[in-house]
């Protein structure tokens, strides 16, 4: 996977970020979600790399990136802190402005980065999410059951860490099975995910990600919403049509951005691995046509 891509480590003000870089053209940042790492992009990256220089990191706390110590407010795992990592990574690589595609937790870093550093971002694509505060406020009992892990992982340490750590492979497989719409994951990718997720530091850091989500991330969203801050760059929203959302996803994003388009794809939650052809087509249409 990622043949021809260079592997790098870049120290930021709060972490050390592992990444792969490859391709040619204008810079594009690809951000993964839970419970995975940069490998989720392995089917899409070789195709997009023909038109873009791709930077594909592990977010702090995931994969081979560092796992900084947390604090009582979970701020080291806030999307604001993760977004600053990415801004500093791109600066270190010489990229002042760039496009971003984020999936799941990575999409939450994507819109936070675009809100906090609008001058750095040209265009964004968010995959299978709505803003974090909207997710919590709009959840009903069916959503709570489907996305129980949001609430489980956010419980105080070491409760979820202890339970997951008893059988991390089982928990990882359960999360994947409950959210995917098809069995299209490559054996190599799945084994890499399992190996990473067995690390107790990854388990703890990913729980901190969700603790930040239900606390400080919501506070940051609330502050931006109250102040009327919106994304002004073009935004593409795509979602798995076999999952939980419909056209209302676009209506929600229009509350947060001024230039929104998108649609559902025939897949489950893990779009980059379940629908790589359709995703590639949409991304190239969006980013290349707006170049």
């Amino acid at each position: 996977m990622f043949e021809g891509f260079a592997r790098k480590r870049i120290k930021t003000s709060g972490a050390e970020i592992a990444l792969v870089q490859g391709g040619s053209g204008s810079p594009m940042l690809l951000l993964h979600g839970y419970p995975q790492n940069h490998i989720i992009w392995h089917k899409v990256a070789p195709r997009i790399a023909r038109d873009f220089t791709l930077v594909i990191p592990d977010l702090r706390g995931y994969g081979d990136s560092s796992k900084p110590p947390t604090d009582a407010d979970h701020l080291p795992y806030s999307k604001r802190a993760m977004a600053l990592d990415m801004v500093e990574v791109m600066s270190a690589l010489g990229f002042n402005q760039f496009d971003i595609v984020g999936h799941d937790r990575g999409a939450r870093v994507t819109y936070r980065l675009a809100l906090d550093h609008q001058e750095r971002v040209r265009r964004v694509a968010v995959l299978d999410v709505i803003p974090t505060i909207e997710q919590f406020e709009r959840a009903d009992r069916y959503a709570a059951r489907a996305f129980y892990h949001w609430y489980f992982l956010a419980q105080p340490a070491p409760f979820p860490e202890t339970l997951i750590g008893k059988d991390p492979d089982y928990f990882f497989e359960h999360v994947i099975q409950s959210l995917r719409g098809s069995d299209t994951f490559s054996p190599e990718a799945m084994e890499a995910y399992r190996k990473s997720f067995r690390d107790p530091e990854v388990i703890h850091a990913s729980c901190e990600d969700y603790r930040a989500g239900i606390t400080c991330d919501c506070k940051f969203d609330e502050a931006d919403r109250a102040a009327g801050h919106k994304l002004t760059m073009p935004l593409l929203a795509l979602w798995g049509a076999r999952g939980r959302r419909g056209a209302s996803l676009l209506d929600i994003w229009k509350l947060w951005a001024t230039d929104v388009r998108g649609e559902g794809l025939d897949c489950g939650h893990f779009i980059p691995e379940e629908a790589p052809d359709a995703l590639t087509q949409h991304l190239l249409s969006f980013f290349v046509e707006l170049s």
Side-chain angles (χ1 to χ4, degrees):
M1 294 181 285
F2 299 100
E3 183 178 354
F5 282 66
R7 298 190 176 273
K8 301 181 179 181
R9 293 188 69 85
I10 295 178
K11 187 175 179 59
T12 70
S13 58
E16 190 170 305
I17 302 299
L19 61 89
V20 296
Q21 179 181 348
S24 61
S26 60
M28 178 182 290
L29 184 61
L30 303 182
L31 301 179
H32 69 86
Y34 179 90
Q36 298 161 298
N37 51 45
H38 76 280
I39 289 172
I40 193 173
W41 301 106
H42 74 100
K43 293 182 180 180
V44 174
R47 313 174 196 195
I48 303 178
R50 300 167 190 166
D51 296 282
F52 295 91
T53 297
L54 301 182
V55 178
I56 314 176
D58 290 334
L59 296 171
R60 65 161 66 188
Y62 290 86
D64 291 328
S65 289
S66 67
K67 289 79 181 173
T70 191
D71 63 22
D73 296 318
H74 316 292
L75 289 171
Y77 288 91
S78 68
K79 306 312 157 293
R80 175 160 285 165
M82 292 182 177
L84 182 59
D85 283 339
M86 296 303 109
V87 168
E88 293 178 357
V89 162
M90 296 304 275
S91 292
L93 294 172
F95 301 131
N96 184 51
Q97 285 192 312
F98 47 90
D99 298 314
I100 320 177
V101 184
H103 173 255
D104 188 79
R105 311 307 287 180
R108 303 186 187 287
V109 178
T110 295
Y111 82 79
R112 176 45 53 195
L113 193 162
L115 282 167
D116 288 355
H117 309 275
Q118 294 221 28
E119 74 285 355
R120 303 295 301 272
V121 181
R122 299 175 63 206
R123 299 156 299 196
V124 299
V126 290
L127 307 184
D128 215 46
V129 302
I130 56 176
T132 302
I133 188 65
E134 302 278 1
Q135 176 76 25
F136 282 111
E137 290 180 346
R138 295 169 182 267
D140 58 16
R141 65 184 186 275
Y142 302 108
R145 180 175 65 181
F147 303 104
Y148 72 93
H149 64 286
W150 277 58
Y151 306 93
F152 170 63
L153 297 173
Q155 295 301 309
F159 174 58
E161 288 94 333
T162 301
L163 297 183
I164 295 169
K166 296 298 183 181
D167 195 342
D169 283 12
Y170 174 82
F171 186 80
F172 170 81
E173 294 280 357
H174 179 76
V175 171
I176 296 293
Q177 290 285 354
S178 65
L179 293 175
R180 71 183 181 184
S182 60
D183 188 13
T184 56
F185 291 71
S186 74
E188 296 83 2
M190 288 294 286
E191 183 52 37
Y193 296 144
R194 291 188 198 96
K195 181 180 179 181
S196 176
F197 199 69
R198 291 169 189 151
D199 182 350
E201 289 191 348
V202 170
I203 295 172
H204 173 62
S206 59
C207 289
E208 281 297 302
D209 178 0
Y210 280 83
R211 291 177 186 125
I214 205 168
T215 55
C216 53
D217 288 340
C218 282
K219 292 178 181 178
F220 298 149
D221 282 1
E222 287 176 321
D224 279 313
R225 185 172 60 183
H229 295 159
K230 289 191 175 185
L231 301 175
T232 57
M233 71 288 293
L235 182 145
L236 173 68
L238 301 172
W239 63 94
R242 298 182 193 175
R244 61 201 182 280
R245 302 188 183 104
S248 63
L249 183 145
L250 286 183
D251 294 332
I252 295 169
W253 276 112
K254 287 175 182 177
L255 300 173
W256 291 79
T258 60
D259 184 1
V260 179
R261 77 292 314 273
E263 63 182 87
L265 305 183
D266 184 21
C267 63
H269 174 63
F270 300 101
I271 297 173
E273 290 178 288
E274 294 187 57
D277 294 336
L279 175 59
T280 299
Q281 181 180 348
H282 280 280
L283 293 180
L284 291 178
S285 295
F286 175 63
F287 288 107
V288 173
E289 289 180 7
L290 292 179
S291 295

